[in-house]
Structures are given as C-alpha cells and as structure tokens.
Amino acid sequence: MEELGIRIGKGAEADLYRREDKVSKVRISKAYREPLLDQHLRRTRTRREARLLSLARRAGVATPYVTDVDNQTFTVEMSFVPGEQVRRLLPSLTREERRELCIRIGEAVGKLHSANIVHGDLTTANMILHRKRIYFIDFGLGGISDAVEDKGVDLLVFKKVLHSTHYRYEEECWEGFVEGYSNTYRNSAETLERLRVIAKRGRYFPERA
Amino acid sequence: MEEITCLGIEGTAEKLGIGIVTSSGRILANVVRQQALKAQAGIHPREAAQHHAEHVPQVIRAALKKAGISLEDIDLIAFSRGPGLGPCLRVAAVSARTLSLSLGKPLVGVNHCIGHIEIGRLLTEAEDPLTLYVSGGNSQVIAYDSGRYRVFGETLDIAVGNCIDQFARRANLGNPGGPIVEKLARKGKYFPLPYVVKGMDLSYSGILTAAVEALNKHPVEDVCRSLQETVFAMLVEVTERALAQTEKDEVMLVGGVGVNRRLQDMISLMAEEHGAGFYVPPRDVLGDNGAMIAWLGVLMYRSGVTHELMDTTVIQRYRTDEVEVKWRS
C-alpha cells in the first residue's frame, strides 16, 4: 500500500491515504460481512462515489476531482481538499456565522436535488469548508433519483445529525438549511412535506407533534 | 446512603417482568412470564394486556418469594412508562400506581430502552459504551453525551426482530422465529437481498417483502441465511459508523435479538477492528425483564426523580433522548 502514500484517516468503511495533493480512498474488506455481500457493497459504492462526485461538481457543488478509480482494489483517487470538517467547525462559530453556513449547505443540497442527485449520507462530517466553499464528499451511499421519497430521506438524515450531534443549536441550523434549500430547489416544499411524512412513519415519532 | 430495594414492573409488549433490585445493584429476583403466542400471529396488544393483568399478582408473589422478602420491604416502585404497546403499558402503570398507593412508597416511571442500557452497564464491565439495542420492537444505536442518551441511528420503519419474526411466520417456521431462523441459517447459502442503509438509519420493511418472495425460488435455509446476513450487516455497519463518529471505545449489544450468536460474532469482529471492547449482558437481562426497570428506577430515584400519580401516564412512543439523564455525569 506504500504507493498510496501515508494513511491519514481510518473511517468506518474506508482507509484514506495521502500522497502530495492526492487522496486515495480504499474501501476495505469487512471480516464481519458475508464475502459476496462485502464485495458487492464495496464495488457498487466505489463506482457510485466516483460517478456522483463528478456529477455533483457539474451541478455546481464543490467536490474533490476524481483522478482515478480502481475497481479491483475498490479505490477512488481524488484531489486533496484541505480545510475543516463542518462537524468540527460548527461549534466554534457565532450564531450568525452558523446560520450563514447552514444556508449555504441548504443551497448546495438544493442544487444536488435539482440535478436528481441524492447524497445518501448528508452528515456534517461529509462536508469540508475550504476557501469559503463547502466541499461535499462520501457519496458512496448516494444515487440518481427523481423520487421525492429519496430526497426526503436525504433531508431526514441531515436533520437527525443536527439532533444527535449538534443539539445545542439544532433549530437555528435547520432553519438556515431550509432557507437555503428552498431558495435553490424548485420542489423544496414537496420534499420538506415528505420529510414530515417519513419521520412520522418512524417508530419513535412524538405523539403530539 | 442507606440501601433501598426497588420493585420494577416491565410490561411494554408480550412479556410481563417483575424484578427486585437493591440500590447496591444486587438482583434479588427477576421473574418473567410470557404470553403464549399463537403460531401464526404476532402480539395482539389487548390479549397481551389481558395476560399481564391476569398474572401481575401471581408474578409479584413469585418474585417476592424468590427474593425472600415481603411487600413491606420494598422502598420504591418503578415501571416501564414506554415505548411500547398502549394496552400493555397501561396494565404495568396501573399495577405500579396501585402498589405505590397501597404501600405508601414512591413511584418512578422509566424509559424501557434506557433500562436495557443501564442494566447492561451494571452487569458488564462497560462504562460508557456505544449501545446497539435490537429487539422485536426496537432497533437503535445509542450513545451518551452531555446529559442525554442520544440516538445516532435507528430503524425508519419496523424493528429488526419484527422483520425476522414476521418472515418466520410467513415461512411457517413458528413463533418467535428468531432462534429458528438462526438455526436454519447455519445450513443455508447466501444470495443477495436488498440492503437498505440511509445515513445511519435502517429500513427493514422492503427486505421483509423480498425475503418472503424469495421463498418461492430458494430453499428456506438459504433465505434464512441471506436474511440474517443482510439485516445484521446493516446493523453492524451503522454501529461501526456511529463508533467512528462518537469515538467511544466500547460497544455493547442489548435487547432480545442480542442473543443471536451470529450477530454477537459480527459486532465483536467489528469492535476488534476498531480496538474497542465488546460487551453483552447475561442472557436473563438481555431481553425484556423487570430487573432493568427496577435498576433504572433506583438510579433515577437516587438522582432526585420521583413521579406524582398525575405524571405517570404512559408514553407509547417514548423517545430515548427525551429523558434527562441526571444519574451520569
């Protein structure tokens, strides 16, 4: 693995290596998984990620450049994006800055959904702020879809991350997000309504809400 | 602090449990009585509630006898306030209120899911684990942070145990189906079924449909194997991601589905890869039971919480992160 560079991160499903201005994301095998399922997930997610990173950029959302894909080793090589994870950044911002940032996240997601790109894992850990642009990464769970349901689930994932991880300023972030999203995505009202319906299906949706 | 003894009543679903636990964490009794399920039907809420109502006095007596104490020795009453089936919850609540009033002892209504976590922390070495809670009614990935148990991942529709049990009934395997599916799966061969992970959330209803349909084309052993491998891999994947995100170094598995050896092995392999400890509480407290309710009652009471009768209404969709956790710092 030396030619990939130095390991700079170990996520849940992949190892990250850096060499100069490139990052290689290697989806590693999981010992706990049935081998056929393991292969299938790594293959489809590697392909999807490479494809969606490019499509998202074409839709006007900042992403790293894909420079190589290896379907044998389940590796996507892309440009290195310095900067800070939105997850780590949010707590250090002022109320106004946070709102501003969430509006821009909402706008980016609005652009993705306008292009029928569903991210699949919209967490603040998958957004990097670099030179005032928000880069989106980790499209492995994403897809192309024009279904309201899929976009609604995308929003639900983001909303839940605010609830579990950014609970101290959850509401202001969500309001900002909805503002940005509504300004950029034509069918935002329908998707936001579906989000409510999906949440209600859940096992623990509050009775009086 | 003087030692107190708490009687806990669990009644969220088909199991009626009475546990007696002291404030030093000794379990004096933990009696569980289960409503006999029909081979081809799930839990009928009203029938389960009737079962509980009929057997509460008898199970309480059995627990007291096991503990070797009398009702007068009880200092605190706790009951499962939710989440669960309304009719069942109400029987547990009425029983708890009655005991509290007639004995003149304080009353605490507790969150069932947190009960699972706390009894696990009591009986394993885990101190601050990321918890995977999986049962017939619940599937959640939970971690403690700043005064709450926060939910990182959960099912968007049905619980994993419900998915497996429903499949087993449709395949005429009997009820509850979990252990039967586990046994058949060992002899089966894997084929792909839908794999549905959304962020850190899961969806099981589509897989259930696909698995039932697959019975027309594949031997039942193969479907069992494929179903188990798929639904468990999904659970392990979201647990793994929550582990990476929360940076905890312990993983605990609780809930009735936690008895499954294959699931235990999978979570254990994953935890090992991340250098995290893996913990499973003893079998008799893994599924629903009264001891976990009693123990959480003790923890809440000791942190200054009691409930007036007015505040003991049941909460069918009681969220794990609604509870202010005053007993941990």
PDB file of all heavy atoms in Angstrom, chain A residues 15-35:
ATOM      1  N   ASP A  15     -10.192   3.330   4.305  1.00  0.00           N
ATOM      2  CA  ASP A  15      -8.951   3.957   4.762  1.00  0.00           C
ATOM      3  C   ASP A  15      -8.598   5.065   3.785  1.00  0.00           C
ATOM      4  O   ASP A  15      -8.834   4.937   2.587  1.00  0.00           O
ATOM      5  CB  ASP A  15      -7.809   2.931   4.795  1.00  0.00           C
ATOM      6  CG  ASP A  15      -7.995   1.927   5.931  1.00  0.00           C
ATOM      7  OD1 ASP A  15      -8.805   2.212   6.828  1.00  0.00           O
ATOM      8  OD2 ASP A  15      -7.323   0.879   5.905  1.00  0.00           O
ATOM      9  N   LEU A  16      -8.026   6.141   4.310  1.00  0.00           N
ATOM     10  CA  LEU A  16      -7.640   7.271   3.465  1.00  0.00           C
ATOM     11  C   LEU A  16      -6.122   7.399   3.451  1.00  0.00           C
ATOM     12  O   LEU A  16      -5.484   7.383   4.507  1.00  0.00           O
ATOM     13  CB  LEU A  16      -8.238   8.574   4.011  1.00  0.00           C
ATOM     14  CG  LEU A  16      -9.744   8.774   3.883  1.00  0.00           C
ATOM     15  CD1 LEU A  16     -10.132  10.101   4.499  1.00  0.00           C
ATOM     16  CD2 LEU A  16     -10.187   8.695   2.433  1.00  0.00           C
ATOM     17  N   TYR A  17      -5.552   7.511   2.239  1.00  0.00           N
ATOM     18  CA  TYR A  17      -4.110   7.703   2.116  1.00  0.00           C
ATOM     19  C   TYR A  17      -3.852   9.003   1.363  1.00  0.00           C
ATOM     20  O   TYR A  17      -4.581   9.345   0.435  1.00  0.00           O
ATOM     21  CB  TYR A  17      -3.473   6.547   1.340  1.00  0.00           C
ATOM     22  CG  TYR A  17      -3.605   5.225   2.052  1.00  0.00           C
ATOM     23  CD1 TYR A  17      -4.746   4.451   1.886  1.00  0.00           C
ATOM     24  CD2 TYR A  17      -2.592   4.761   2.882  1.00  0.00           C
ATOM     25  CE1 TYR A  17      -4.884   3.243   2.537  1.00  0.00           C
ATOM     26  CE2 TYR A  17      -2.717   3.546   3.541  1.00  0.00           C
ATOM     27  CZ  TYR A  17      -3.866   2.788   3.365  1.00  0.00           C
ATOM     28  OH  TYR A  17      -3.989   1.602   4.017  1.00  0.00           O
ATOM     29  N   ARG A  18      -2.780   9.696   1.747  1.00  0.00           N
ATOM     30  CA  ARG A  18      -2.468  10.934   1.045  1.00  0.00           C
ATOM     31  C   ARG A  18      -1.056  10.869   0.471  1.00  0.00           C
ATOM     32  O   ARG A  18      -0.122  10.424   1.139  1.00  0.00           O
ATOM     33  CB  ARG A  18      -2.573  12.126   1.997  1.00  0.00           C
ATOM     34  CG  ARG A  18      -2.305  13.414   1.272  1.00  0.00           C
ATOM     35  CD  ARG A  18      -2.481  14.610   2.162  1.00  0.00           C
ATOM     36  NE  ARG A  18      -1.956  15.782   1.462  1.00  0.00           N
ATOM     37  CZ  ARG A  18      -1.735  16.931   2.024  1.00  0.00           C
ATOM     38  NH1 ARG A  18      -1.974  17.105   3.307  1.00  0.00           N
ATOM     39  NH2 ARG A  18      -1.260  17.931   1.317  1.00  0.00           N
ATOM     40  N   ARG A  19      -0.956  11.314  -0.789  1.00  0.00           N
ATOM     41  CA  ARG A  19       0.357  11.478  -1.402  1.00  0.00           C
ATOM     42  C   ARG A  19       0.323  12.787  -2.164  1.00  0.00           C
ATOM     43  O   ARG A  19      -0.466  12.953  -3.098  1.00  0.00           O
ATOM     44  CB  ARG A  19       0.668  10.320  -2.346  1.00  0.00           C
ATOM     45  CG  ARG A  19       2.142  10.199  -2.689  1.00  0.00           C
ATOM     46  CD  ARG A  19       2.330   9.203  -3.792  1.00  0.00           C
ATOM     47  NE  ARG A  19       1.384   9.476  -4.886  1.00  0.00           N
ATOM     48  CZ  ARG A  19       1.161   8.649  -5.899  1.00  0.00           C
ATOM     49  NH1 ARG A  19       1.768   7.503  -5.958  1.00  0.00           N
ATOM     50  NH2 ARG A  19       0.314   8.971  -6.859  1.00  0.00           N
ATOM     51  N   GLU A  20       1.144  13.716  -1.729  1.00  0.00           N
ATOM     52  CA  GLU A  20       1.143  15.069  -2.293  1.00  0.00           C
ATOM     53  C   GLU A  20      -0.277  15.632  -2.296  1.00  0.00           C
ATOM     54  O   GLU A  20      -0.915  15.680  -1.257  1.00  0.00           O
ATOM     55  CB  GLU A  20       1.792  15.073  -3.676  1.00  0.00           C
ATOM     56  CG  GLU A  20       3.279  14.750  -3.565  1.00  0.00           C
ATOM     57  CD  GLU A  20       3.900  14.352  -4.890  1.00  0.00           C
ATOM     58  OE1 GLU A  20       3.318  14.661  -5.942  1.00  0.00           O
ATOM     59  OE2 GLU A  20       4.964  13.748  -4.863  1.00  0.00           O
ATOM     60  N   ASP A  21      -0.782  16.009  -3.496  1.00  0.00           N
ATOM     61  CA  ASP A  21      -2.103  16.643  -3.488  1.00  0.00           C
ATOM     62  C   ASP A  21      -3.229  15.667  -3.823  1.00  0.00           C
ATOM     63  O   ASP A  21      -4.300  16.063  -4.231  1.00  0.00           O
ATOM     64  CB  ASP A  21      -2.111  17.841  -4.452  1.00  0.00           C
ATOM     65  CG  ASP A  21      -1.762  17.408  -5.869  1.00  0.00           C
ATOM     66  OD1 ASP A  21      -1.287  16.252  -6.017  1.00  0.00           O
ATOM     67  OD2 ASP A  21      -1.968  18.183  -6.810  1.00  0.00           O
ATOM     68  N   LYS A  22      -2.937  14.347  -3.646  1.00  0.00           N
ATOM     69  CA  LYS A  22      -3.961  13.332  -3.950  1.00  0.00           C
ATOM     70  C   LYS A  22      -4.358  12.564  -2.686  1.00  0.00           C
ATOM     71  O   LYS A  22      -3.528  12.327  -1.811  1.00  0.00           O
ATOM     72  CB  LYS A  22      -3.405  12.308  -4.962  1.00  0.00           C
ATOM     73  CG  LYS A  22      -2.957  12.929  -6.274  1.00  0.00           C
ATOM     74  CD  LYS A  22      -4.121  12.964  -7.250  1.00  0.00           C
ATOM     75  CE  LYS A  22      -3.751  13.719  -8.507  1.00  0.00           C
ATOM     76  NZ  LYS A  22      -2.552  13.148  -9.170  1.00  0.00           N
ATOM     77  N   VAL A  23      -5.601  12.146  -2.679  1.00  0.00           N
ATOM     78  CA  VAL A  23      -6.064  11.281  -1.602  1.00  0.00           C
ATOM     79  C   VAL A  23      -6.627  10.014  -2.230  1.00  0.00           C
ATOM     80  O   VAL A  23      -7.355  10.076  -3.220  1.00  0.00           O
ATOM     81  CB  VAL A  23      -7.174  11.965  -0.778  1.00  0.00           C
ATOM     82  CG1 VAL A  23      -7.812  10.975   0.177  1.00  0.00           C
ATOM     83  CG2 VAL A  23      -6.630  13.143  -0.011  1.00  0.00           C
ATOM     84  N   SER A  24      -6.265   8.875  -1.674  1.00  0.00           N
ATOM     85  CA  SER A  24      -6.863   7.626  -2.134  1.00  0.00           C
ATOM     86  C   SER A  24      -7.782   7.090  -1.054  1.00  0.00           C
ATOM     87  O   SER A  24      -7.381   6.936   0.099  1.00  0.00           O
ATOM     88  CB  SER A  24      -5.779   6.590  -2.435  1.00  0.00           C
ATOM     89  OG  SER A  24      -5.034   7.000  -3.549  1.00  0.00           O
ATOM     90  N   LYS A  25      -9.023   6.826  -1.444  1.00  0.00           N
ATOM     91  CA  LYS A  25      -9.981   6.257  -0.507  1.00  0.00           C
ATOM     92  C   LYS A  25     -10.152   4.786  -0.852  1.00  0.00           C
ATOM     93  O   LYS A  25     -10.652   4.450  -1.924  1.00  0.00           O
ATOM     94  CB  LYS A  25     -11.306   7.018  -0.628  1.00  0.00           C
ATOM     95  CG  LYS A  25     -12.407   6.441   0.228  1.00  0.00           C
ATOM     96  CD  LYS A  25     -13.610   7.348   0.233  1.00  0.00           C
ATOM     97  CE  LYS A  25     -14.726   6.744   1.057  1.00  0.00           C
ATOM     98  NZ  LYS A  25     -15.866   7.649   1.188  1.00  0.00           N
ATOM     99  N   VAL A  26      -9.732   3.938   0.051  1.00  0.00           N
ATOM    100  CA  VAL A  26      -9.755   2.494  -0.197  1.00  0.00           C
ATOM    101  C   VAL A  26     -10.840   1.854   0.657  1.00  0.00           C
ATOM    102  O   VAL A  26     -10.771   1.868   1.880  1.00  0.00           O
ATOM    103  CB  VAL A  26      -8.391   1.854   0.163  1.00  0.00           C
ATOM    104  CG1 VAL A  26      -8.382   0.383  -0.258  1.00  0.00           C
ATOM    105  CG2 VAL A  26      -7.253   2.616  -0.482  1.00  0.00           C
ATOM    106  N   ARG A  27     -11.849   1.301  -0.004  1.00  0.00           N
ATOM    107  CA  ARG A  27     -12.908   0.623   0.749  1.00  0.00           C
ATOM    108  C   ARG A  27     -12.399  -0.752   1.143  1.00  0.00           C
ATOM    109  O   ARG A  27     -12.178  -1.610   0.291  1.00  0.00           O
ATOM    110  CB  ARG A  27     -14.170   0.508  -0.102  1.00  0.00           C
ATOM    111  CG  ARG A  27     -14.905   1.814  -0.178  1.00  0.00           C
ATOM    112  CD  ARG A  27     -16.300   1.657  -0.728  1.00  0.00           C
ATOM    113  NE  ARG A  27     -17.116   2.793  -0.331  1.00  0.00           N
ATOM    114  CZ  ARG A  27     -17.005   4.015  -0.858  1.00  0.00           C
ATOM    115  NH1 ARG A  27     -16.119   4.255  -1.794  1.00  0.00           N
ATOM    116  NH2 ARG A  27     -17.765   4.991  -0.437  1.00  0.00           N
ATOM    117  N   ILE A  28     -12.215  -0.928   2.448  1.00  0.00           N
ATOM    118  CA  ILE A  28     -11.585  -2.150   2.923  1.00  0.00           C
ATOM    119  C   ILE A  28     -12.615  -3.251   3.175  1.00  0.00           C
ATOM    120  O   ILE A  28     -13.790  -2.982   3.384  1.00  0.00           O
ATOM    121  CB  ILE A  28     -10.785  -1.873   4.226  1.00  0.00           C
ATOM    122  CG1 ILE A  28     -11.668  -1.104   5.211  1.00  0.00           C
ATOM    123  CG2 ILE A  28      -9.517  -1.094   3.910  1.00  0.00           C
ATOM    124  CD1 ILE A  28     -11.002  -0.853   6.534  1.00  0.00           C
ATOM    125  N   SER A  29     -12.116  -4.471   3.144  1.00  0.00           N
ATOM    126  CA  SER A  29     -12.968  -5.627   3.381  1.00  0.00           C
ATOM    127  C   SER A  29     -13.343  -5.696   4.857  1.00  0.00           C
ATOM    128  O   SER A  29     -12.549  -5.363   5.721  1.00  0.00           O
ATOM    129  CB  SER A  29     -12.216  -6.889   2.969  1.00  0.00           C
ATOM    130  OG  SER A  29     -12.964  -8.016   3.314  1.00  0.00           O
ATOM    131  N   LYS A  30     -14.563  -6.108   5.116  1.00  0.00           N
ATOM    132  CA  LYS A  30     -15.016  -6.236   6.491  1.00  0.00           C
ATOM    133  C   LYS A  30     -15.145  -7.700   6.844  1.00  0.00           C
ATOM    134  O   LYS A  30     -15.923  -8.436   6.217  1.00  0.00           O
ATOM    135  CB  LYS A  30     -16.382  -5.552   6.655  1.00  0.00           C
ATOM    136  CG  LYS A  30     -16.333  -4.058   6.433  1.00  0.00           C
ATOM    137  CD  LYS A  30     -15.603  -3.388   7.570  1.00  0.00           C
ATOM    138  CE  LYS A  30     -15.303  -1.939   7.264  1.00  0.00           C
ATOM    139  NZ  LYS A  30     -14.461  -1.334   8.308  1.00  0.00           N
ATOM    140  N   ALA A  31     -14.401  -8.103   7.880  1.00  0.00           N
ATOM    141  CA  ALA A  31     -14.382  -9.513   8.261  1.00  0.00           C
ATOM    142  C   ALA A  31     -15.758  -9.987   8.719  1.00  0.00           C
ATOM    143  O   ALA A  31     -16.083 -11.164   8.622  1.00  0.00           O
ATOM    144  CB  ALA A  31     -13.357  -9.736   9.366  1.00  0.00           C
ATOM    145  N   TYR A  32     -16.579  -9.075   9.222  1.00  0.00           N
ATOM    146  CA  TYR A  32     -17.869  -9.497   9.764  1.00  0.00           C
ATOM    147  C   TYR A  32     -18.886  -9.812   8.681  1.00  0.00           C
ATOM    148  O   TYR A  32     -19.901 -10.434   8.930  1.00  0.00           O
ATOM    149  CB  TYR A  32     -18.422  -8.428  10.715  1.00  0.00           C
ATOM    150  CG  TYR A  32     -18.867  -7.135  10.061  1.00  0.00           C
ATOM    151  CD1 TYR A  32     -20.089  -7.055   9.399  1.00  0.00           C
ATOM    152  CD2 TYR A  32     -18.063  -6.003  10.105  1.00  0.00           C
ATOM    153  CE1 TYR A  32     -20.497  -5.876   8.802  1.00  0.00           C
ATOM    154  CE2 TYR A  32     -18.459  -4.815   9.512  1.00  0.00           C
ATOM    155  CZ  TYR A  32     -19.683  -4.763   8.856  1.00  0.00           C
ATOM    156  OH  TYR A  32     -20.072  -3.599   8.254  1.00  0.00           O
ATOM    157  N   ARG A  33     -18.606  -9.359   7.445  1.00  0.00           N
ATOM    158  CA  ARG A  33     -19.610  -9.450   6.383  1.00  0.00           C
ATOM    159  C   ARG A  33     -19.453 -10.694   5.537  1.00  0.00           C
ATOM    160  O   ARG A  33     -18.337 -11.110   5.259  1.00  0.00           O
ATOM    161  CB  ARG A  33     -19.460  -8.227   5.463  1.00  0.00           C
ATOM    162  CG  ARG A  33     -20.608  -7.310   5.531  1.00  0.00           C
ATOM    163  CD  ARG A  33     -20.592  -6.049   4.745  1.00  0.00           C
ATOM    164  NE  ARG A  33     -19.394  -5.512   4.181  1.00  0.00           N
ATOM    165  CZ  ARG A  33     -19.159  -4.190   4.087  1.00  0.00           C
ATOM    166  NH1 ARG A  33     -20.024  -3.321   4.524  1.00  0.00           N
ATOM    167  NH2 ARG A  33     -18.044  -3.759   3.536  1.00  0.00           N
ATOM    168  N   GLU A  34     -20.542 -11.267   5.140  1.00  0.00           N
ATOM    169  CA  GLU A  34     -20.555 -12.331   4.138  1.00  0.00           C
ATOM    170  C   GLU A  34     -19.724 -11.856   2.931  1.00  0.00           C
ATOM    171  O   GLU A  34     -19.945 -10.752   2.421  1.00  0.00           O
ATOM    172  CB  GLU A  34     -22.025 -12.562   3.763  1.00  0.00           C
ATOM    173  CG  GLU A  34     -22.281 -13.277   2.477  1.00  0.00           C
ATOM    174  CD  GLU A  34     -21.955 -14.743   2.547  1.00  0.00           C
ATOM    175  OE1 GLU A  34     -22.272 -15.363   3.574  1.00  0.00           O
ATOM    176  OE2 GLU A  34     -21.377 -15.254   1.587  1.00  0.00           O
ATOM    177  N   PRO A  35     -18.742 -12.671   2.464  1.00  0.00           N
ATOM    178  CA  PRO A  35     -17.821 -12.203   1.412  1.00  0.00           C
ATOM    179  C   PRO A  35     -18.509 -11.672   0.151  1.00  0.00           C
ATOM    180  O   PRO A  35     -18.090 -10.649  -0.390  1.00  0.00           O
ATOM    181  CB  PRO A  35     -16.984 -13.439   1.093  1.00  0.00           C
ATOM    182  CG  PRO A  35     -17.056 -14.268   2.325  1.00  0.00           C
ATOM    183  CD  PRO A  35     -18.381 -13.999   2.959  1.00  0.00           C
TER     184      PRO A  35
END
